[in-house]
Amino acid sequence: MSEHHVMPLKTYFKVAGGLVLLTILTVVFHEMKMGALAGPVAFLIAAVKASLVLLYFMHLKYDNMTNRVIFGSGFFFLILLFAFSYVDIWTRIKSFSTL
Amino acid sequence: MGTASTNPNVNYLTEFSGIKSWLFSLDHKRIGLMYMIAILFFFLVGGIMAMLIRLELFSPGPTLFSADTYNQVLTYHGAIMVFMVIVPGIPAILGNFFLPLQIGAADVAFPRLNLASWYVFMFGAILAFTTLFTTKIDTGWTFYTPYSIKTGTAVITIVLAAFIMGMSSILTGLNFIVTTHKLRAPGMSMFDMPLFVWSLYSTAIIQVIATPVLGITLLLLVAERVLGIGIFDPKLGGDPVLFQHFFWFYSHPAVYIMILPAMGIISELISAFSRKTIFGYKAIAFSSLGIAAVSFIVWGHHMFVSGQSEIAGVIFSFITMLVGVPTAIKMFNWLATLYKGSVSFESPMLYALGFLFLFAIGGVTGIMLATLGVDVHFHDTYFVVAHFHYVMVGGTLMAIMGGFYYWFPKMFGKMYNEGLARLTFVLIFIGFNVTFFPQFILGAMGMPRRYFDYIPAYESLNKISTIGSWMIAAGFFLALYVIIRGIISGPKAPANPWGAKTLEWQTSSPPPHFNFDKKPTVTGGPYDY
């Protein structure tokens, strides 16, 4: 484990502000009724928010490479789950699809 | 906790006494035994349910109970055996007990977390039991939507119970990964570890990565029922098939949580009772990791007829075939280990050989079912029931029995009656085949699974299957007698009754509180015969 890193309080507030802004952005995009893009955009914003929490609040930015790889592998498997599920949903015969 | 004795002959069983010394014990061996007692009880209940199912199917029409009761008993059997017996079985009992011993450590990396895992597991299990036996659960162990959203039964509580037990599984997996990396004896590299440790390590990776997905899926199901959020409900724009994707993303790797540690045990047994270095050590170790990796991308083979797209079906069918490669690597390496070995047929080895035979049938029929065109016909028939019982019971349970007889002298410091132990194998092995082989034929004849009733054409094979289940039950009750008699009045076991080479046999039987009087230094491999 790398040395304990003390972050200035200002950084925490900046990140918290960013998270609030992104939440507002999620609501704005929802109101815009973007159709098929709505899901991917919401996922993208959620992923950015999760990354900010991991990097700053959980100090992953200042952690050693092993821990980053472990976190990364979690995301990799999440992408696998989404990718294969989407392969199914997008290639279904549309008249039978519920989506 | 009691006071430690200064007597050099004391061991982990006698060093402390009183119920508190067990309930608050941080000793991985005692925690392993506490898991054992709990899981044996769950196994007994799940087994009784299995006997009731087979009795009901002894003849067509209502035999013992109504169709509704049959659905519930079927759910009890599946949920108890999967979530409370086979998934936690090997890692929680034998893994807890032997992982630190096999790597020369005094305990797991986080002993308090280990005890917490047991309490979390027991809390989840008690909640599940209370729900199962006080309300009506008829969803099967898979909780498929849309039925699980609509049925009026206590789905929320049973799902929360599964969620809590999943949390315990994650904590155990985390503990094992850290223990394996950080607490190996001096001189023990990753490639000096016994293969049972490798298999537990691979299993732990699956536990940590896949189980959270099950947790989230089950919580989404609760949210769907309570809040109507519309993820799985088509009326709200949701997709019921998506539930199956999420569910099987965990539950297929869970099959490997069940079988990988079993394979680890088999590696130990085959090497020890062939008096020979394991053939292809690295190939077996890497094939465990290979199985763990591939297990994450094959879940769609459970969904070939669910409404999943044909393209997804073809992709999943192809990838599923890949599981056969690392699995076959293991099988061939075990057979090569037996070749020209000084093979002896003590009861643990009989179970290991039984595993090879039954798992080969389970594996090959798995490849048949992975073939998209074949599965469309076999899906939801007794062929599938026979297949997964050959893997889970013929594979995992055989390995548990073999491993238990192998390590019994180390766990309790006593020997058991070898003749009776061999008889348990004969009863269980023959009974198992009499029970489940006819089910392959029934499935091929078209008998659907989960049904309460059947046409007269299926009657004779169902009768044979039920009679087989009585033989299995007799075998397990005899095994219980052998174990209890061994603990009470068995002769004292030496430190290394099998002449095995792994570290757990280098300490006394049973081991002292901190496993080794002096920290061992490793200078050779685990199978240097």
Side-chain angles (χ1 to χ4, degrees), chain B residues 518-529:
Chain B
K518 211 176 88 182
K519 195 165 182 65
T521 302
V522 177
T523 52
Y527 307 109
D528 286 344
Y529 285 100

Side-chain angles (χ1 to χ4, degrees), chain B residues 415-427:
Chain B
M415 295 302 289
Y416 50 82
N417 184 314
E418 177 60 26
L420 285 180
R422 287 181 193 180
L423 183 60
T424 65
F425 168 76
V426 172
L427 281 169

Side-chain angles (χ1 to χ4, degrees), chain B residues 297-446:
Chain B
I297 45 177
V298 298
W299 76 85
H301 66 230
H302 293 271
M303 302 165 53
F304 286 152
V305 298
S306 67
Q308 174 182 252
S309 80
E310 285 86 348
I311 291 173
V314 170
I315 293 171
F316 279 121
S317 176
F318 175 75
I319 301 173
T320 301
M321 300 288 177
L322 295 180
V323 183
V325 177
T327 310
I329 287 172
K330 283 182 186 293
M331 289 292 273
F332 286 123
N333 280 306
W334 290 326
L335 293 176
T337 306
L338 288 169
Y339 180 64
K340 287 192 174 174
S342 302
V343 179
S344 59
F345 295 97
E346 282 94 344
S347 46
M349 184 59 158
L350 289 178
Y351 277 101
L353 296 175
F355 172 97
L356 293 186
F357 184 81
L358 299 179
F359 186 75
I361 297 175
V364 170
T365 50
I367 294 292
M368 288 169 73
L369 290 170
T371 313
L372 185 54
V374 175
D375 185 78
V376 168
H377 296 281
F378 280 143
H379 195 89
D380 270 346
T381 70
Y382 263 82
F383 194 92
V384 178
V385 177
H387 154 70
F388 72 71
H389 278 90
Y390 264 82
V391 174
M392 289 182 186
V393 185
T396 308
L397 222 50
M398 279 277 157
I400 291 181
M401 292 299 292
F404 195 70
Y405 278 132
Y406 177 59
W407 281 307
F408 179 90
K410 184 58 59 184
M411 293 167 90
F412 300 104
K414 299 281 185 73
M415 295 302 289
Y416 50 82
N417 184 314
E418 177 60 26
L420 285 180
R422 287 181 193 180
L423 183 60
T424 65
F425 168 76
V426 172
L427 281 169
I428 293 171
F429 182 78
I430 295 176
F432 177 81
N433 283 294
V434 173
T435 306
F436 290 103
F437 200 83
Q439 295 184 9
F440 279 125
I441 305 168
L442 282 168
M445 289 165 74

Side-chain angles (χ1 to χ4, degrees), chain A residues 73 77 80-81 84-85 87-89 91-93 98-99, chain B residues 209 237-239 241 245 249 296-297 299 307-309 316:
Chain A
S73 64
F77 283 101
L80 280 182
L81 171 65
F84 280 90
S85 302
V87 165
D88 165 33
I89 291 165
T91 56
R92 279 186 213 163
I93 299 165
T98 56
L99 292 179
Chain B
I209 292 177
D239 181 0
V241 178
H245 277 297
F249 184 80
F296 280 99
I297 45 177
W299 76 85
Q308 174 182 252
S309 80
F316 279 121

Side-chain angles (χ1 to χ4, degrees), chain B residues 12-87:
Chain B
Y12 81 100
L13 288 169
T14 56
E15 188 158 7
F16 306 105
S17 58
I19 187 76
K20 275 189 184 171
S21 76
W22 284 88
L23 291 176
F24 297 108
S25 174
L26 301 181
D27 184 342
H28 66 100
K29 301 181 287 299
R30 284 190 166 212
I31 294 170
L33 288 192
M34 291 202 293
Y35 269 115
M36 187 187 82
I37 293 164
I39 290 171
L40 274 180
F41 172 73
F42 301 144
F43 180 61
L44 177 69
V45 178
I48 290 170
M49 297 300 152
M51 299 299 294
L52 290 175
I53 291 168
R54 283 310 327 160
L55 268 182
E56 172 54 46
L57 294 173
F58 190 73
S59 54
T63 311
L64 268 187
F65 31 66
S66 70
D68 281 346
T69 312
Y70 177 84
N71 285 348
Q72 287 165 33
V73 172
L74 196 75
T75 304
Y76 298 161
H77 169 68
I80 291 171
M81 287 302 203
V82 171
F83 291 115
M84 298 182 209
V85 178
I86 299 189
V87 166

Side-chain angles (χ1 to χ4, degrees), chain B residues 171-370:
Chain B
L171 297 180
T172 302
L174 193 67
N175 220 337
F176 283 5
I177 290 174
V178 179
T179 305
T180 306
H181 276 289
K182 295 289 183 188
L183 296 185
R184 294 194 308 274
M188 181 184 272
S189 73
M190 288 292 272
F191 292 110
D192 293 322
M193 296 191 312
L195 286 164
F196 182 53
V197 177
W198 266 105
S199 71
L200 288 170
Y201 180 72
S202 309
T203 307
I205 292 173
I206 303 178
Q207 285 173 306
V208 170
I209 292 177
T211 316
V213 177
L214 175 76
I216 291 162
T217 308
L218 296 179
L219 287 185
L220 283 173
L221 178 61
V222 173
E224 187 80 354
R225 279 183 70 102
V226 178
L227 306 169
I229 55 175
I231 289 187
F232 305 127
D233 188 350
K235 270 190 299 194
L236 300 168
D239 181 0
V241 178
L242 196 60
F243 177 86
Q244 296 190 30
H245 277 297
F246 286 4
F247 180 82
W248 287 113
F249 184 80
Y250 162 78
S251 294
H252 190 75
V255 172
Y256 298 96
I257 294 178
M258 302 172 205
I259 199 68
L260 269 173
M263 292 169 159
I265 292 175
I266 298 305
S267 298
E268 302 296 327
L269 299 184
I270 297 237
S271 178
F273 292 96
S274 302
R275 322 290 312 152
K276 198 169 155 224
T277 307
I278 193 97
F279 188 90
Y281 173 93
K282 282 192 178 176
I284 295 180
F286 281 123
S287 64
S288 292
L289 289 177
I291 290 173
V294 177
S295 75
F296 280 99
I297 45 177
V298 298
W299 76 85
H301 66 230
H302 293 271
M303 302 165 53
F304 286 152
V305 298
S306 67
Q308 174 182 252
S309 80
E310 285 86 348
I311 291 173
V314 170
I315 293 171
F316 279 121
S317 176
F318 175 75
I319 301 173
T320 301
M321 300 288 177
L322 295 180
V323 183
V325 177
T327 310
I329 287 172
K330 283 182 186 293
M331 289 292 273
F332 286 123
N333 280 306
W334 290 326
L335 293 176
T337 306
L338 288 169
Y339 180 64
K340 287 192 174 174
S342 302
V343 179
S344 59
F345 295 97
E346 282 94 344
S347 46
M349 184 59 158
L350 289 178
Y351 277 101
L353 296 175
F355 172 97
L356 293 186
F357 184 81
L358 299 179
F359 186 75
I361 297 175
V364 170
T365 50
I367 294 292
M368 288 169 73
L369 290 170

